[in-house]
Amino acid sequence: MHLIDTHTHIYGPEFDLDREEAVKRALEAGVGMLLLPNVDASTIAPMLATHECFPDCTRMMMGLQPEEVKGDYKQVLANMEKELERDIYIGVGEIGLDFYWDTTFEKEQLDAFETQLGWAKQLGLPLSIHCRNAFGFMARILEKHQDGSLKGVMHCFTGTEEEAKVYLELGFHLGLGGVTTHKNCGVKDYLHNIPLNRIVLETDAPYLSPVPHRGKRNEPAFMVETAKKIAEIYEMLVQEIAEITTRNVKTLFKI
Ligand SMILES: [Zn+2]
């Protein structure tokens, strides 16, 4: 079995004590490739260092996560745009909108998101998109910018069937993670209506562990539990789910 974790923060301090073991556990579990989305200016160095330690099984993305968009975001974006010129990044992420805790920087978040969509277009790179409490804004902005060239993953998708269909129509993939295994997640109820060629898997480690690890630190090896749940929903073998979702990721991220 070969799975790809399309969204994992294994470079974070939560893994400082056992990063190598965590990567080993991932490989042993069949999660053979880890895609690392950036968060803010401070996470670039640890992400690069992690990639240097595990060059064969990690790939990086560059972007500013919406919750980290603050007053200085223009300067941060200018540095990230320069960093992207190094041509070592397979995508723009994670970027997006998050109005869950705080809408202080709503205007700035919208501007930062559109700026980074522009990078993706210019460089022909796929996106890893974070969206929380912002579906209306998100759909409108993606619609406005979609000229056929934008593609990517709606990371940690937990929305309604109607929202899923809007993203699919806009040409995006849905990134399913540990939440899909949680009892209260509504995605399970309609997922069988979503074409599998638009699904990719992720952990968002260290967050959002799947059952039976819920409440513990998440790690890429746990993604197998999400794959099992999805296999159950589609009434397929977990190996088939692995094959299809891995093919989707390879096509989307050109890896
Ligand atoms: Zn993330």
Side-chain angles (χ1 to χ4, degrees):
M1 186 161 66
H2 178 58
L3 290 159
I4 299 179
D5 185 348
T6 58
H7 194 110
T8 180
H9 301 280
I10 198 165
Y11 55 77
E14 297 84 357
F15 290 96
D16 279 353
L17 295 178
D18 67 341
R19 188 169 294 107
E20 202 173 335
E21 288 84 351
V23 170
K24 216 171 130 201
R25 283 192 293 271
L27 298 177
E28 280 167 7
V31 184
M33 175 61 74
L34 313 175
L35 308 190
L36 314 176
N38 188 50
V39 175
D40 62 21
S42 77
T43 55
I44 299 174
M47 182 175 71
L48 286 166
T50 297
H51 177 61
E52 218 165 279
C53 285
F54 311 102
D56 298 334
C57 63
T58 61
R59 297 291 180 269
M60 299 177 290
M61 301 182 218
M62 182 49 59
L64 177 60
Q65 207 262 12
E67 288 170 288
E68 303 306 327
V69 173
K70 312 282 182 208
D72 64 347
Y73 78 103
K74 287 208 180 201
Q75 188 52 50
V76 174
L77 287 181
N79 293 339
M80 287 183 178
E81 192 177 11
K82 210 180 242 149
E83 180 64 25
L84 263 171
E85 284 172 14
R86 293 174 63 198
D87 211 20
I88 51 173
Y89 300 97
I90 60 154
V92 174
E94 57 181 295
I95 69 170
L97 302 171
D98 192 324
F99 302 138
Y100 185 71
W101 295 112
D102 193 1
T103 52
T104 315
F105 293 104
E106 179 176 299
K107 223 179 77 224
E108 290 82 357
Q109 277 198 36
L110 292 165
D111 185 44
F113 183 49
E114 293 197 83
T115 299
Q116 295 177 93
L117 286 181
W119 300 347
K121 267 191 191 181
Q122 214 178 347
L123 300 167
L125 291 174
L127 300 152
S128 184
I129 297 181
H130 170 120
C131 179
R132 192 158 55 155
N133 268 34
F135 173 76
F137 279 114
M138 180 58 68
R140 263 201 308 284
I141 292 176
L142 291 179
E143 203 165 322
K144 177 174 130 193
H145 289 273
Q146 183 56 287
D147 55 5
S149 66
L150 285 179
K151 55 189 176 150
V153 178
M154 302 311 299
H155 131 69
C156 189
F157 180 78
T158 56
T160 64
E161 184 168 9
E162 288 68 35
E163 292 171 356
K165 291 198 164 143
V166 168
Y167 290 138
L168 294 185
E169 256 164 56
L170 281 163
F172 287 84
H173 286 65
L174 306 180
L176 301 183
V179 178
T180 318
T181 69
H182 296 178
K183 219 181 210 141
N184 53 355
C185 178
V187 173
K188 288 193 294 291
D189 303 333
Y190 64 80
L191 190 59
H192 56 278
N193 296 327
I194 304 294
L196 248 183
N197 65 355
R198 306 296 287 281
I199 302 292
V200 302
L201 305 182
E202 64 169 60
T203 57
D204 202 16
Y207 313 109
L208 304 170
S209 285
V211 173
H213 307 291
R214 201 173 172 178
K216 283 194 283 185
R217 181 193 70 173
N218 198 3
E219 62 172 70
F222 294 171
M223 206 178 75
V224 174
E225 302 301 332
T226 305
K228 280 188 201 157
K229 184 77 204 174
I230 287 168
E232 201 183 297
I233 293 167
Y234 283 96
E235 298 179 329
M236 290 168 78
L237 298 171
V238 68
Q239 284 83 354
E240 294 174 294
I241 297 295
E243 218 170 279
I244 296 168
T245 56
T246 293
R247 197 190 316 137
N248 295 343
V249 180
K250 286 185 170 171
T251 310
L252 188 56
F253 286 92
K254 299 199 179 92
I255 52 174

Short mmCIF file of all heavy atoms in Angstrom, two decimals, residues 160-212:
data_model
loop_
_atom_site.label_atom_id
_atom_site.label_comp_id
_atom_site.label_asym_id
_atom_site.label_seq_id
_atom_site.Cartn_x
_atom_site.Cartn_y
_atom_site.Cartn_z
N THR A 160 -20.73 20.78 3.89
CA THR A 160 -21.94 20.09 3.47
C THR A 160 -21.77 19.55 2.04
O THR A 160 -20.81 19.90 1.35
CB THR A 160 -23.13 21.06 3.44
OG1 THR A 160 -22.87 22.07 2.45
CG2 THR A 160 -23.34 21.75 4.79
N GLU A 161 -22.75 18.74 1.62
CA GLU A 161 -22.71 18.19 0.27
C GLU A 161 -22.78 19.32 -0.77
O GLU A 161 -22.09 19.28 -1.79
CB GLU A 161 -23.87 17.20 0.07
CG GLU A 161 -23.82 16.52 -1.28
CD GLU A 161 -24.78 15.34 -1.38
OE1 GLU A 161 -25.60 15.14 -0.47
OE2 GLU A 161 -24.69 14.62 -2.39
N GLU A 162 -23.59 20.33 -0.49
CA GLU A 162 -23.72 21.47 -1.41
C GLU A 162 -22.37 22.19 -1.54
O GLU A 162 -21.95 22.55 -2.64
CB GLU A 162 -24.77 22.47 -0.90
CG GLU A 162 -26.21 22.00 -1.02
CD GLU A 162 -26.56 20.83 -0.09
OE1 GLU A 162 -26.01 20.78 1.04
OE2 GLU A 162 -27.33 19.97 -0.51
N GLU A 163 -21.69 22.38 -0.42
CA GLU A 163 -20.39 23.04 -0.45
C GLU A 163 -19.37 22.19 -1.21
O GLU A 163 -18.59 22.70 -2.02
CB GLU A 163 -19.90 23.33 0.98
CG GLU A 163 -20.75 24.39 1.67
CD GLU A 163 -20.46 24.55 3.16
OE1 GLU A 163 -19.63 23.79 3.71
OE2 GLU A 163 -21.06 25.45 3.78
N ALA A 164 -19.42 20.89 -0.96
CA ALA A 164 -18.51 19.98 -1.67
C ALA A 164 -18.71 20.11 -3.18
O ALA A 164 -17.74 20.19 -3.95
CB ALA A 164 -18.76 18.54 -1.22
N LYS A 165 -19.96 20.17 -3.59
CA LYS A 165 -20.25 20.23 -5.03
C LYS A 165 -19.79 21.55 -5.65
O LYS A 165 -19.34 21.58 -6.79
CB LYS A 165 -21.74 19.97 -5.27
CG LYS A 165 -22.03 18.51 -4.95
CD LYS A 165 -23.31 17.98 -5.52
CE LYS A 165 -23.25 16.44 -5.46
NZ LYS A 165 -24.54 15.83 -5.14
N VAL A 166 -19.89 22.63 -4.88
CA VAL A 166 -19.39 23.92 -5.37
C VAL A 166 -17.89 23.82 -5.64
O VAL A 166 -17.40 24.22 -6.70
CB VAL A 166 -19.69 25.05 -4.36
CG1 VAL A 166 -18.92 26.33 -4.71
CG2 VAL A 166 -21.19 25.33 -4.30
N TYR A 167 -17.13 23.24 -4.70
CA TYR A 167 -15.68 23.12 -4.88
C TYR A 167 -15.34 22.18 -6.04
O TYR A 167 -14.41 22.44 -6.80
CB TYR A 167 -15.02 22.63 -3.59
CG TYR A 167 -15.03 23.66 -2.48
CD1 TYR A 167 -15.32 23.30 -1.17
CD2 TYR A 167 -14.73 25.00 -2.74
CE1 TYR A 167 -15.32 24.24 -0.15
CE2 TYR A 167 -14.73 25.95 -1.74
CZ TYR A 167 -15.03 25.56 -0.43
OH TYR A 167 -15.02 26.50 0.58
N LEU A 168 -16.09 21.10 -6.16
CA LEU A 168 -15.82 20.18 -7.27
C LEU A 168 -16.07 20.87 -8.60
O LEU A 168 -15.28 20.75 -9.54
CB LEU A 168 -16.69 18.93 -7.17
CG LEU A 168 -16.43 17.99 -5.98
CD1 LEU A 168 -17.29 16.74 -6.09
CD2 LEU A 168 -14.96 17.61 -5.87
N GLU A 169 -17.16 21.63 -8.67
CA GLU A 169 -17.47 22.34 -9.91
C GLU A 169 -16.41 23.38 -10.23
O GLU A 169 -16.14 23.67 -11.40
CB GLU A 169 -18.84 23.01 -9.81
CG GLU A 169 -19.91 22.27 -10.60
CD GLU A 169 -21.31 22.68 -10.19
OE1 GLU A 169 -21.59 23.90 -10.27
OE2 GLU A 169 -22.09 21.81 -9.79
N LEU A 170 -15.81 23.94 -9.19
CA LEU A 170 -14.74 24.91 -9.39
C LEU A 170 -13.42 24.23 -9.75
O LEU A 170 -12.41 24.90 -9.98
CB LEU A 170 -14.55 25.76 -8.13
CG LEU A 170 -15.59 26.89 -7.96
CD1 LEU A 170 -15.59 27.40 -6.52
CD2 LEU A 170 -15.28 28.04 -8.91
N GLY A 171 -13.41 22.90 -9.78
CA GLY A 171 -12.22 22.18 -10.22
C GLY A 171 -11.29 21.73 -9.11
O GLY A 171 -10.17 21.31 -9.37
N PHE A 172 -11.75 21.83 -7.86
CA PHE A 172 -10.87 21.49 -6.74
C PHE A 172 -11.09 20.07 -6.23
O PHE A 172 -12.12 19.45 -6.49
CB PHE A 172 -11.05 22.51 -5.61
CG PHE A 172 -10.43 23.82 -5.95
CD1 PHE A 172 -11.12 24.76 -6.71
CD2 PHE A 172 -9.12 24.11 -5.58
CE1 PHE A 172 -10.53 25.96 -7.08
CE2 PHE A 172 -8.53 25.30 -5.95
CZ PHE A 172 -9.22 26.23 -6.70
N HIS A 173 -10.10 19.58 -5.51
CA HIS A 173 -10.17 18.29 -4.84
C HIS A 173 -10.53 18.51 -3.37
O HIS A 173 -10.26 19.58 -2.82
CB HIS A 173 -8.82 17.57 -4.92
CG HIS A 173 -8.52 17.00 -6.27
ND1 HIS A 173 -8.33 17.81 -7.39
CD2 HIS A 173 -8.38 15.73 -6.69
CE1 HIS A 173 -8.09 17.02 -8.42
NE2 HIS A 173 -8.11 15.76 -8.03
N LEU A 174 -11.08 17.49 -2.74
CA LEU A 174 -11.38 17.57 -1.32
C LEU A 174 -10.33 16.78 -0.54
O LEU A 174 -10.07 15.61 -0.85
CB LEU A 174 -12.78 17.00 -1.03
CG LEU A 174 -13.93 17.61 -1.84
CD1 LEU A 174 -15.25 16.94 -1.45
CD2 LEU A 174 -14.02 19.12 -1.62
N GLY A 175 -9.73 17.42 0.46
CA GLY A 175 -8.75 16.76 1.32
C GLY A 175 -9.45 16.24 2.56
O GLY A 175 -9.97 17.01 3.35
N LEU A 176 -9.48 14.92 2.72
CA LEU A 176 -10.17 14.33 3.86
C LEU A 176 -9.16 13.84 4.89
O LEU A 176 -8.19 13.16 4.55
CB LEU A 176 -11.05 13.17 3.41
CG LEU A 176 -12.13 13.52 2.38
CD1 LEU A 176 -12.98 12.29 2.08
CD2 LEU A 176 -13.02 14.66 2.86
N GLY A 177 -9.43 14.20 6.14
CA GLY A 177 -8.52 13.82 7.22
C GLY A 177 -9.22 13.12 8.34
O GLY A 177 -10.31 12.55 8.15
N GLY A 178 -8.61 13.18 9.52
CA GLY A 178 -9.10 12.45 10.68
C GLY A 178 -10.54 12.75 11.06
O GLY A 178 -11.25 11.87 11.58
N VAL A 179 -10.98 13.97 10.78
CA VAL A 179 -12.34 14.36 11.14
C VAL A 179 -13.38 13.45 10.47
O VAL A 179 -14.45 13.20 11.02
CB VAL A 179 -12.60 15.85 10.77
CG1 VAL A 179 -14.02 16.26 11.10
CG2 VAL A 179 -11.63 16.75 11.51
N THR A 180 -13.03 12.94 9.29
CA THR A 180 -13.94 12.05 8.56
C THR A 180 -14.30 10.82 9.39
O THR A 180 -15.36 10.23 9.20
CB THR A 180 -13.28 11.61 7.23
OG1 THR A 180 -12.62 12.74 6.66
CG2 THR A 180 -14.31 11.09 6.24
N THR A 181 -13.43 10.44 10.32
CA THR A 181 -13.70 9.25 11.14
C THR A 181 -14.49 9.60 12.40
O THR A 181 -14.89 8.70 13.14
CB THR A 181 -12.39 8.56 11.58
OG1 THR A 181 -11.71 9.43 12.52
CG2 THR A 181 -11.47 8.28 10.41
N HIS A 182 -14.66 10.90 12.67
CA HIS A 182 -15.35 11.30 13.90
C HIS A 182 -16.86 11.09 13.75
O HIS A 182 -17.42 11.31 12.68
CB HIS A 182 -15.04 12.77 14.25
CG HIS A 182 -13.59 13.01 14.55
ND1 HIS A 182 -13.09 14.26 14.85
CD2 HIS A 182 -12.53 12.17 14.60
CE1 HIS A 182 -11.79 14.17 15.06
NE2 HIS A 182 -11.41 12.92 14.91
N LYS A 183 -17.46 10.74 14.87
CA LYS A 183 -18.89 10.41 14.87
C LYS A 183 -19.76 11.53 14.32
O LYS A 183 -20.70 11.30 13.57
CB LYS A 183 -19.30 10.11 16.32
CG LYS A 183 -20.27 8.97 16.41
CD LYS A 183 -20.69 8.71 17.84
CE LYS A 183 -21.01 7.23 17.99
NZ LYS A 183 -20.56 6.68 19.24
N ASN A 184 -19.43 12.78 14.70
CA ASN A 184 -20.30 13.92 14.36
C ASN A 184 -20.00 14.54 13.00
O ASN A 184 -20.51 15.61 12.69
CB ASN A 184 -20.20 14.98 15.46
CG ASN A 184 -18.75 15.38 15.74
OD1 ASN A 184 -17.83 14.79 15.18
ND2 ASN A 184 -18.54 16.38 16.58
N CYS A 185 -19.15 13.90 12.18
CA CYS A 185 -18.80 14.51 10.90
C CYS A 185 -19.82 14.12 9.83
O CYS A 185 -20.02 12.94 9.54
CB CYS A 185 -17.41 14.06 10.46
SG CYS A 185 -16.96 14.74 8.87
N GLY A 186 -20.45 15.13 9.22
CA GLY A 186 -21.52 14.89 8.26
C GLY A 186 -21.05 14.40 6.90
O GLY A 186 -21.84 13.89 6.11
N VAL A 187 -19.76 14.55 6.61
CA VAL A 187 -19.24 14.18 5.29
C VAL A 187 -19.51 12.71 4.98
O VAL A 187 -19.82 12.35 3.84
CB VAL A 187 -17.72 14.50 5.20
CG1 VAL A 187 -17.13 13.98 3.91
CG2 VAL A 187 -17.49 16.01 5.33
N LYS A 188 -19.44 11.88 6.01
CA LYS A 188 -19.66 10.43 5.84
C LYS A 188 -21.00 10.12 5.16
O LYS A 188 -21.12 9.17 4.42
CB LYS A 188 -19.68 9.75 7.22
CG LYS A 188 -18.34 9.67 7.90
CD LYS A 188 -18.39 8.71 9.08
CE LYS A 188 -19.27 9.17 10.23
NZ LYS A 188 -18.82 10.33 10.99
N ASP A 189 -22.01 10.96 5.46
CA ASP A 189 -23.37 10.66 5.01
C ASP A 189 -23.57 10.84 3.50
O ASP A 189 -24.48 10.27 2.92
CB ASP A 189 -24.38 11.55 5.75
CG ASP A 189 -24.27 11.39 7.25
OD1 ASP A 189 -23.83 10.31 7.68
OD2 ASP A 189 -24.59 12.34 7.99
N TYR A 190 -22.76 11.66 2.87
CA TYR A 190 -22.97 11.88 1.43
C TYR A 190 -21.73 11.56 0.59
O TYR A 190 -21.76 11.67 -0.63
CB TYR A 190 -23.39 13.34 1.16
CG TYR A 190 -22.35 14.37 1.52
CD1 TYR A 190 -21.29 14.64 0.67
CD2 TYR A 190 -22.40 15.07 2.73
CE1 TYR A 190 -20.31 15.56 0.99
CE2 TYR A 190 -21.42 16.00 3.06
CZ TYR A 190 -20.39 16.23 2.20
OH TYR A 190 -19.42 17.14 2.52
N LEU A 191 -20.65 11.16 1.28
CA LEU A 191 -19.37 10.98 0.57
C LEU A 191 -19.49 10.02 -0.62
O LEU A 191 -18.84 10.23 -1.65
CB LEU A 191 -18.30 10.48 1.55
CG LEU A 191 -16.86 10.49 1.00
CD1 LEU A 191 -16.43 11.88 0.57
CD2 LEU A 191 -15.89 9.95 2.06
N HIS A 192 -20.36 9.01 -0.50
CA HIS A 192 -20.50 8.05 -1.60
C HIS A 192 -20.97 8.72 -2.89
O HIS A 192 -20.84 8.16 -3.96
CB HIS A 192 -21.47 6.92 -1.19
CG HIS A 192 -22.81 7.43 -0.78
ND1 HIS A 192 -23.07 7.91 0.50
CD2 HIS A 192 -23.96 7.57 -1.46
CE1 HIS A 192 -24.33 8.31 0.57
NE2 HIS A 192 -24.89 8.12 -0.61
N ASN A 193 -21.53 9.95 -2.80
CA ASN A 193 -21.95 10.70 -4.00
C ASN A 193 -20.81 11.48 -4.64
O ASN A 193 -20.98 12.09 -5.69
CB ASN A 193 -23.05 11.70 -3.65
CG ASN A 193 -24.31 11.02 -3.17
OD1 ASN A 193 -24.63 9.93 -3.64
ND2 ASN A 193 -25.01 11.65 -2.24
N ILE A 194 -19.66 11.53 -3.97
CA ILE A 194 -18.52 12.33 -4.47
C ILE A 194 -17.58 11.41 -5.24
O ILE A 194 -17.17 10.37 -4.73
CB ILE A 194 -17.76 12.97 -3.29
CG1 ILE A 194 -18.70 13.82 -2.41
CG2 ILE A 194 -16.57 13.79 -3.78
CD1 ILE A 194 -19.29 15.04 -3.06
N PRO A 195 -17.25 11.78 -6.48
CA PRO A 195 -16.35 10.91 -7.26
C PRO A 195 -14.98 10.77 -6.59
O PRO A 195 -14.37 11.76 -6.19
CB PRO A 195 -16.24 11.62 -8.61
CG PRO A 195 -16.75 13.00 -8.40
CD PRO A 195 -17.67 12.97 -7.23
N LEU A 196 -14.52 9.54 -6.49
CA LEU A 196 -13.26 9.27 -5.79
C LEU A 196 -12.05 9.93 -6.45
O LEU A 196 -11.04 10.17 -5.80
CB LEU A 196 -13.03 7.76 -5.75
CG LEU A 196 -13.11 7.06 -4.41
CD1 LEU A 196 -12.77 5.59 -4.58
CD2 LEU A 196 -12.18 7.69 -3.37
N ASN A 197 -12.17 10.22 -7.73
CA ASN A 197 -11.01 10.85 -8.39
C ASN A 197 -10.82 12.30 -7.96
O ASN A 197 -9.90 12.97 -8.41
CB ASN A 197 -11.09 10.71 -9.92
CG ASN A 197 -12.27 11.48 -10.51
OD1 ASN A 197 -13.09 12.05 -9.78
ND2 ASN A 197 -12.36 11.50 -11.82
N ARG A 198 -11.71 12.79 -7.07
CA ARG A 198 -11.55 14.15 -6.55
C ARG A 198 -11.24 14.16 -5.05
O ARG A 198 -11.33 15.19 -4.40
CB ARG A 198 -12.83 14.96 -6.80
CG ARG A 198 -13.24 14.94 -8.27
CD ARG A 198 -12.24 15.61 -9.17
NE ARG A 198 -12.28 17.04 -9.01
CZ ARG A 198 -13.21 17.83 -9.58
NH1 ARG A 198 -14.13 17.32 -10.33
NH2 ARG A 198 -13.17 19.12 -9.38
N ILE A 199 -10.86 13.00 -4.52
CA ILE A 199 -10.56 12.88 -3.09
C ILE A 199 -9.06 12.64 -2.89
O ILE A 199 -8.47 11.82 -3.59
CB ILE A 199 -11.33 11.67 -2.48
CG1 ILE A 199 -12.84 11.82 -2.68
CG2 ILE A 199 -10.96 11.46 -1.01
CD1 ILE A 199 -13.49 12.92 -1.90
N VAL A 200 -8.48 13.37 -1.95
CA VAL A 200 -7.13 13.06 -1.49
C VAL A 200 -7.16 12.97 0.03
O VAL A 200 -8.08 13.46 0.68
CB VAL A 200 -6.08 14.10 -1.96
CG1 VAL A 200 -6.05 14.20 -3.48
CG2 VAL A 200 -6.31 15.46 -1.33
N LEU A 201 -6.14 12.33 0.60
CA LEU A 201 -6.12 12.10 2.05
C LEU A 201 -5.05 12.97 2.71
O LEU A 201 -4.07 13.37 2.07
CB LEU A 201 -5.85 10.63 2.35
CG LEU A 201 -6.81 9.63 1.70
CD1 LEU A 201 -6.45 8.21 2.13
CD2 LEU A 201 -8.25 9.94 2.06
N GLU A 202 -5.24 13.20 4.00
CA GLU A 202 -4.29 14.03 4.75
C GLU A 202 -4.44 13.73 6.23
O GLU A 202 -5.42 13.10 6.66
CB GLU A 202 -4.59 15.50 4.51
CG GLU A 202 -5.97 15.92 5.03
CD GLU A 202 -6.16 17.44 5.04
OE1 GLU A 202 -6.09 18.04 3.97
OE2 GLU A 202 -6.40 17.98 6.14
N THR A 203 -3.47 14.22 7.02
CA THR A 203 -3.64 14.14 8.49
C THR A 203 -3.85 15.51 9.12
O THR A 203 -4.56 15.63 10.09
CB THR A 203 -2.41 13.51 9.17
OG1 THR A 203 -1.26 14.27 8.83
CG2 THR A 203 -2.25 12.06 8.80
N ASP A 204 -3.17 16.54 8.61
CA ASP A 204 -3.05 17.83 9.31
C ASP A 204 -2.36 17.62 10.66
O ASP A 204 -2.61 18.36 11.61
CB ASP A 204 -4.41 18.52 9.51
CG ASP A 204 -4.26 20.03 9.72
OD1 ASP A 204 -3.18 20.57 9.41
OD2 ASP A 204 -5.21 20.66 10.22
N ALA A 205 -1.49 16.62 10.74
CA ALA A 205 -0.72 16.38 11.96
C ALA A 205 0.03 17.66 12.34
O ALA A 205 0.50 18.35 11.45
CB ALA A 205 0.28 15.25 11.72
N PRO A 206 0.07 18.00 13.62
CA PRO A 206 -0.28 17.20 14.82
C PRO A 206 -1.74 17.29 15.24
O PRO A 206 -2.09 16.81 16.31
CB PRO A 206 0.61 17.84 15.89
CG PRO A 206 0.65 19.29 15.50
CD PRO A 206 0.67 19.29 14.00
N TYR A 207 -2.59 17.90 14.41
CA TYR A 207 -3.98 18.13 14.81
C TYR A 207 -4.92 17.05 14.28
O TYR A 207 -4.58 16.32 13.35
CB TYR A 207 -4.45 19.50 14.29
CG TYR A 207 -3.47 20.61 14.54
CD1 TYR A 207 -2.75 21.18 13.50
CD2 TYR A 207 -3.22 21.05 15.84
CE1 TYR A 207 -1.81 22.19 13.73
CE2 TYR A 207 -2.30 22.05 16.09
CZ TYR A 207 -1.59 22.62 15.02
OH TYR A 207 -0.67 23.59 15.25
N LEU A 208 -6.13 17.03 14.84
CA LEU A 208 -7.27 16.30 14.27
C LEU A 208 -7.02 14.80 14.04
O LEU A 208 -7.22 14.29 12.94
CB LEU A 208 -7.68 16.96 12.94
CG LEU A 208 -8.02 18.45 13.03
CD1 LEU A 208 -8.17 19.04 11.63
CD2 LEU A 208 -9.30 18.68 13.82
N SER A 209 -6.63 14.11 15.08
CA SER A 209 -6.38 12.67 14.97
C SER A 209 -7.66 11.91 14.61
O SER A 209 -8.73 12.24 15.09
CB SER A 209 -5.86 12.13 16.30
OG SER A 209 -4.53 12.49 16.47
N PRO A 210 -7.50 10.87 13.81
CA PRO A 210 -8.64 10.02 13.51
C PRO A 210 -8.95 9.09 14.70
O PRO A 210 -8.08 8.85 15.54
CB PRO A 210 -8.17 9.20 12.31
CG PRO A 210 -6.68 9.17 12.44
CD PRO A 210 -6.28 10.45 13.10
N VAL A 211 -10.16 8.57 14.74
CA VAL A 211 -10.50 7.49 15.66
C VAL A 211 -9.63 6.30 15.28
O VAL A 211 -9.46 6.05 14.08
CB VAL A 211 -12.00 7.15 15.50
CG1 VAL A 211 -12.37 5.91 16.33
CG2 VAL A 211 -12.86 8.36 15.89
N PRO A 212 -9.02 5.52 16.14
CA PRO A 212 -9.16 5.52 17.60
C PRO A 212 -8.10 6.36 18.34
O PRO A 212 -7.89 6.16 19.52
CB PRO A 212 -8.96 4.03 17.91
CG PRO A 212 -7.93 3.59 16.92
CD PRO A 212 -8.19 4.41 15.68
#
